[in-house]
Amino acid sequence: MNSNRNSAKKVIIIGGGVIGLGIGWQLAKMGCAVTIYERNRAGRAASWAAAGMLAPLSEVHFEEQELLQLGSMSLRLYPEWVEELEADSRMSVGYKTEGTLIVGIDRDDAQLLQHLYESQKLLDLRVEWMDGAAAREIEPLLSPKITAAISSEDDHQVDNRLMVKALITAYQKAGGTLFENIPVEKIELREGQAKGVWVKGALHDADVVVLAAGCWSNEIGGLPENVTPPIRPVKGQMLALKMESSVALQKVIRTPRAKYATDVYLVPKNNGRLVIGATSEEMGFDTQLTAGGLFELLRGAWEAVPGIYDLPILETWAGLRPGSRDNAPILGPTEVKNMIMATGHYRNGILLTPITAREISSLILTGKTSETIAPFQLSRFSQV
Amino acid sequence: MNSNRNSAKKVIIIGGGVIGLGIGWQLAKMGCAVTIYERNRAGRAASWAAAGMLAPLSEVHFEEQELLQLGSMSLRLYPEWVEELEADSRMSVGYKTEGTLIVGIDRDDAQLLQHLYESQKLLDLRVEWMDGAAAREIEPLLSPKITAAISSEDDHQVDNRLMVKALITAYQKAGGTLFENIPVEKIELREGQAKGVWVKGALHDADVVVLAAGCWSNEIGGLPENVTPPIRPVKGQMLALKMESSVALQKVIRTPRAKYATDVYLVPKNNGRLVIGATSEEMGFDTQLTAGGLFELLRGAWEAVPGIYDLPILETWAGLRPGSRDNAPILGPTEVKNMIMATGHYRNGILLTPITAREISSLILTGKTSETIAPFQLSRFSQV
């Protein structure tokens, strides 16, 4: 049986975000002995800060075809992934399929929207163009100023914070071991092979080491320079409002802005939270909220949905997206044997969790890199 | 000696904000046996939420001549009050005399400013009219859009949170007793006289009871209806930014807006905090922050001083101003003998603390209502 053969396989995962937890959950279910080391609390970095949108095209550029395809594949995995995760954890992850309205507020925005719509049609996506009145029939809270919208039925969402909790539970139920607030100091290499990790001055052996440490991935010691992933933190400020029955959105609203620095999205959750994000700032590991950041978010959200004006603020926060040099994740084997990467998911970590978990666990079990993730290996950065 | 005679006088003050503490400090220094009961933490309601501006005219209407006069008198008391308070408490209260710039952002604002300036000149206030360039010479961070400004050298400020701490210390050093988190249930009346208060089911005697409970003043039991002050909470949302050396204001900036609901002020404190306020909302005892509230504050502050855009947000909060029916405080004796009021200071609590403390403590010691506070008695509301 597979289960018996794999029970010998010891896997250490560095990083307890949705990526590390998702891979760990799959591997533990297959009989591997999995240990996750998380430097902080599990799932409390980018996984927690995210808005949970599952929107392959909205977050990537038309030119990034491979990334778009990866996102679309992961989106298609979502219903089954949610079903399995909810069954294993006995917890809801707040998966919502009401779809997304991408709206244009002023004339320039409408033109931007037109370009986006043409790209989407070229890609054969299931989208519908509509005028402002039609958009307001679907979502009456939209501003009367909105003149055009794209309805995208396939852009779903999940409650990422619930997903974090469900993944921790499912992973541990499957037999996985999770150490929180314990940073990995160094990866142990011998003869070009990863042999384990150093934690609190002690070496822990492993057959495979997975680097899933998000924007801290290049801070782990022991890796040669050419196996250090080019990842940086990209700050995103966000806030959450408390919806009232008279001001309750059903769909995700996105406002790509032609003239403003900050594209805003409004993501209604099942518990009445309305998550609004996000700035995109190159500020290193700084997570301070700023006057301008909150101002742009509030302005953008208010221009799209004026009714939010009177809603109470539940929370404000800033997160760090792990951005790679080309915005795509870094997935697969490296020049160091038994050292696997699953990091740099940037704006798409929640969306890409199912495909990452499936492909990376398969790679670990079979030793084979699938065609799906082949374009996303670290080696692409040295092929210049 | 006065001190001996007054040592027999037992005074209970309901409310431990700056008003109650200020009166208590003065009375304790004169030898009275003073006890303050505070329903929450001392000085953590309106006293804490305030911005600490000492600006008699800016916060009142030209028509409210008596209130303007009271505020001006209190402002003149401030240097001596600060000196005494800092000496007694051995703490700084962050008194700043750099003055205030009242700025006009658009054309309508400039017209509003012109009216304000004419009022100020009629009242013989020490103010100077200047164009935008002159204002920017004084405060280079002001927006290039600003076309007109009034410089008011006499509008000073204090750090109200430091003043709270200094008052608690000075009051207790003078022998005053402070009970926090202990609400007064009821005022004890016998034959039309206040005889003490009920606290935790027990009666505590007093020669004089002072009602200084801010917007909770009409919630104390035991008072006949005609001695219940007409006070309501008026919500104000605020925030504080962290100034950097390159973005550090010296003066208080005020932006009376002709077209916006929210006049914004920016008040730089010695510790690098920049306090920005405030909305004015009739929402009962609600203290939730709202999307619209923060949006107006950030927009207003950014339009006046664009450089705040990148400053980190230190804190956001909402406070409740105790507003009376005519916006003026309620000071002096009532139809209930030995029952003194010092409440309803609305937007001017910090400014009016010295004059209130002086006049109310004098009233308690001498039995005489001064001409200064005579117009502000509760009886004015029944003289219709």
Side-chain angles (χ1 to χ4, degrees):
Chain A
M1 298 290 290
N2 262 2
S3 172
N4 282 343
R5 196 193 61 208
N6 294 326
S7 66
K9 209 154 217 173
K10 280 181 67 177
V11 180
I12 286 178
I13 300 174
I14 306 172
V18 287
I19 298 298
L21 289 165
I23 295 166
W25 172 45
Q26 293 299 313
L27 288 173
K29 286 184 80 168
M30 311 290 267
C32 293
V34 188
T35 302
I36 294 178
Y37 292 101
E38 163 55 45
R39 60 187 291 282
N40 210 300
R41 284 182 67 189
R44 293 299 174 117
S47 306
W48 197 256
M53 284 175 299
L54 309 174
L57 186 66
S58 304
E59 295 279 358
V60 304
H61 294 116
F62 179 66
E63 295 75 19
E64 298 163 330
Q65 290 281 338
E66 282 161 341
L67 181 53
L68 176 62
Q69 203 179 346
L70 189 72
S72 301
M73 284 179 68
S74 201
L75 180 64
R76 284 195 294 275
L77 294 180
Y78 243 95
E80 202 178 322
W81 160 269
V82 166
E83 198 180 355
E84 184 184 349
L85 182 54
E86 292 189 335
D88 279 20
S89 64
R90 297 179 181 275
M91 296 164 84
S92 163
V93 300
Y95 181 51
K96 280 164 68 77
T97 58
E98 282 86 344
T100 296
L101 282 177
I102 311 170
V103 302
I105 295 176
D106 60 28
R107 190 183 301 215
D108 294 335
D109 297 337
Q111 274 199 345
L112 188 71
L113 226 59
Q114 187 67 45
H115 284 290
L116 181 64
Y117 181 69
E118 282 157 19
S119 307
Q120 290 169 324
K121 292 310 276 185
L122 279 177
L123 293 165
D124 218 15
L125 297 177
R126 207 155 60 98
V127 288
E128 188 190 341
W129 180 267
M130 52 183 66
D131 63 15
R136 277 184 294 278
E137 253 174 55
I138 296 173
E139 200 57 272
L141 293 168
L142 285 175
S143 166
K145 284 188 200 163
I146 285 169
T147 54
I150 301 169
S151 173
S152 174
E153 292 301 318
D154 294 332
D155 280 355
H156 299 159
Q157 62 143 316
V158 73
D159 187 323
N160 47 294
R161 294 188 180 181
L162 294 181
M163 191 163 108
V164 162
K165 291 175 183 173
L167 275 172
I168 293 172
T169 301
Y171 168 67
Q172 291 181 320
K173 275 190 179 178
T177 303
L178 172 63
F179 291 108
E180 296 185 277
N181 301 306
I182 297 189
V184 166
E185 286 141 19
K186 209 179 120 175
I187 295 167
E188 172 74 1
L189 299 191
R190 255 172 276 151
E191 296 163 5
Q193 292 194 25
K195 290 293 187 184
V197 301
W198 287 86
V199 171
K200 289 188 169 177
L203 175 62
H204 299 263
D205 291 335
D207 300 315
V208 177
V209 175
V210 180
L211 184 55
C215 59
W216 293 270
S217 292
N218 56 17
E219 301 206 331
I220 313 291
L223 289 176
E225 205 177 324
N226 63 331
V227 190
T228 301
I231 288 175
R232 72 193 191 286
V234 181
K235 176 177 166 182
Q237 300 186 47
M238 304 183 62
L239 66 125
L241 305 180
K242 183 174 164 51
M243 290 190 289
E244 291 158 1
S245 52
S246 57
V247 187
L249 290 170
Q250 297 306 315
K251 287 175 175 276
V252 174
I253 309 295
R254 304 181 54 96
T255 67
R257 302 306 300 267
K259 285 179 302 196
Y260 292 106
T262 306
D263 294 355
V264 172
Y265 46 75
L266 300 92
V267 188
K269 301 293 175 189
N270 285 331
N271 56 0
R273 273 169 78 92
L274 178 63
V275 175
I276 297 173
T279 63
S280 201
E281 303 164 71
E282 302 283 350
M283 296 287 288
F285 284 95
D286 164 53
T287 53
Q288 285 180 310
L289 294 159
T290 63
L294 281 197
F295 174 54
E296 299 288 3
L297 296 176
L298 291 166
R299 172 167 69 180
W302 171 70
E303 285 186 348
V305 184
I308 65 146
Y309 194 89
D310 291 320
L311 297 185
I313 295 176
L314 289 175
E315 193 187 344
T316 53
W317 69 95
L320 301 172
R321 310 174 187 90
S324 78
R325 208 181 291 152
D326 62 2
N327 299 340
I330 299 171
L331 304 173
T334 63
E335 286 185 26
V336 172
K337 214 186 150 196
N338 297 328
M339 168 82 226
I340 309 281
M341 297 236 169
T343 187
H345 288 73
Y346 193 37
R347 307 174 74 94
N348 294 292
I350 305 298
L351 169 66
L352 295 177
T353 296
I355 194 90
T356 302
R358 189 183 77 177
E359 299 298 315
I360 297 293
S361 58
S362 161
L363 165 63
I364 289 167
L365 294 174
T366 67
K368 285 181 194 152
T369 303
S370 68
E371 280 183 32
T372 302
I373 60 168
F376 298 101
Q377 296 178 76
L378 177 64
S379 56
R380 73 183 185 271
F381 295 111
S382 44
Q383 288 161 348
V384 184
Chain B
M1 297 293 288
N2 263 2
S3 171
N4 282 342
R5 197 191 61 205
N6 294 325
S7 67
K9 210 152 217 176
K10 282 182 67 179
V11 180
I12 286 178
I13 300 174
I14 306 171
V18 286
I19 299 298
L21 289 166
I23 296 167
W25 172 46
Q26 292 299 313
L27 288 173
K29 286 183 79 168
M30 311 288 268
C32 293
V34 188
T35 303
I36 294 178
Y37 292 100
E38 163 56 45
R39 61 187 289 281
N40 211 299
R41 282 183 69 190
R44 292 299 173 117
S47 307
W48 197 257
M53 283 175 298
L54 309 173
L57 186 67
S58 304
E59 294 279 0
V60 304
H61 294 116
F62 178 67
E63 297 74 20
E64 298 164 327
Q65 290 281 339
E66 281 159 343
L67 181 53
L68 176 62
Q69 203 178 346
L70 189 73
S72 301
M73 283 178 68
S74 201
L75 180 64
R76 284 195 294 274
L77 294 181
Y78 243 95
E80 203 178 322
W81 160 270
V82 165
E83 198 180 353
E84 185 184 347
L85 181 54
E86 292 189 335
D88 279 20
S89 65
R90 295 177 182 277
M91 296 164 84
S92 163
V93 300
Y95 181 52
K96 280 165 67 77
T97 57
E98 282 87 343
T100 297
L101 282 177
I102 311 169
V103 302
I105 296 176
D106 60 29
R107 191 184 300 216
D108 295 335
D109 297 338
Q111 274 199 344
L112 187 71
L113 226 59
Q114 187 68 44
H115 284 291
L116 181 63
Y117 181 68
E118 282 157 20
S119 307
Q120 290 169 323
K121 292 310 276 184
L122 279 176
L123 293 164
D124 219 15
L125 297 177
R126 209 155 61 99
V127 287
E128 189 189 342
W129 181 267
M130 53 182 66
D131 62 16
R136 277 185 294 279
E137 253 174 56
I138 296 172
E139 200 57 272
L141 293 168
L142 286 174
S143 166
K145 285 189 199 160
I146 285 169
T147 53
I150 302 168
S151 173
S152 174
E153 290 301 318
D154 293 332
D155 281 355
H156 299 160
Q157 62 143 314
V158 73
D159 187 322
N160 46 294
R161 295 188 180 180
L162 294 182
M163 191 162 107
V164 161
K165 291 174 181 172
L167 276 171
I168 292 172
T169 301
Y171 168 68
Q172 291 181 320
K173 275 191 179 176
T177 304
L178 171 64
F179 290 109
E180 296 186 275
N181 302 305
I182 297 188
V184 166
E185 287 141 20
K186 206 179 123 177
I187 295 167
E188 171 74 1
L189 299 190
R190 257 173 274 151
E191 296 165 4
Q193 291 195 26
K195 291 293 188 181
V197 300
W198 288 86
V199 171
K200 291 190 170 176
L203 175 62
H204 297 263
D205 292 332
D207 300 315
V208 177
V209 175
V210 179
L211 184 55
C215 60
W216 293 272
S217 292
N218 56 18
E219 299 205 333
I220 313 291
L223 288 176
E225 203 176 323
N226 63 331
V227 189
T228 301
I231 289 176
R232 71 194 192 284
V234 181
K235 176 177 166 181
Q237 300 187 47
M238 304 182 63
L239 65 121
L241 304 180
K242 184 173 164 50
M243 290 189 288
E244 291 159 1
S245 52
S246 57
V247 187
L249 291 169
Q250 297 306 316
K251 288 174 175 276
V252 174
I253 309 294
R254 305 182 54 96
T255 68
R257 302 306 300 267
K259 286 179 301 197
Y260 292 106
T262 306
D263 294 354
V264 172
Y265 46 75
L266 300 94
V267 187
K269 301 293 178 190
N270 285 330
N271 55 1
R273 271 170 81 91
L274 178 62
V275 175
I276 297 173
T279 63
S280 200
E281 304 166 70
E282 302 282 349
M283 296 287 288
F285 284 95
D286 164 54
T287 53
Q288 287 180 309
L289 294 159
T290 64
L294 280 197
F295 173 54
E296 300 287 4
L297 296 178
L298 291 166
R299 171 166 69 180
W302 172 70
E303 286 186 348
V305 183
I308 65 146
Y309 195 90
D310 290 319
L311 298 185
I313 295 176
L314 289 175
E315 192 188 342
T316 53
W317 69 96
L320 301 171
R321 308 174 187 92
S324 78
R325 207 179 291 152
D326 61 3
N327 299 341
I330 300 171
L331 304 172
T334 63
E335 285 187 27
V336 171
K337 215 184 149 198
N338 297 328
M339 168 82 227
I340 309 282
M341 298 236 168
T343 186
H345 288 73
Y346 194 36
R347 307 174 75 93
N348 295 290
I350 305 298
L351 170 65
L352 295 176
T353 296
I355 194 92
T356 302
R358 189 182 78 175
E359 299 297 314
I360 297 293
S361 59
S362 162
L363 164 63
I364 288 168
L365 294 174
T366 66
K368 286 180 192 152
T369 304
S370 69
E371 280 184 31
T372 302
I373 61 168
F376 298 102
Q377 295 178 75
L378 177 65
S379 56
R380 72 181 185 272
F381 295 111
S382 44
Q383 288 162 347
V384 184

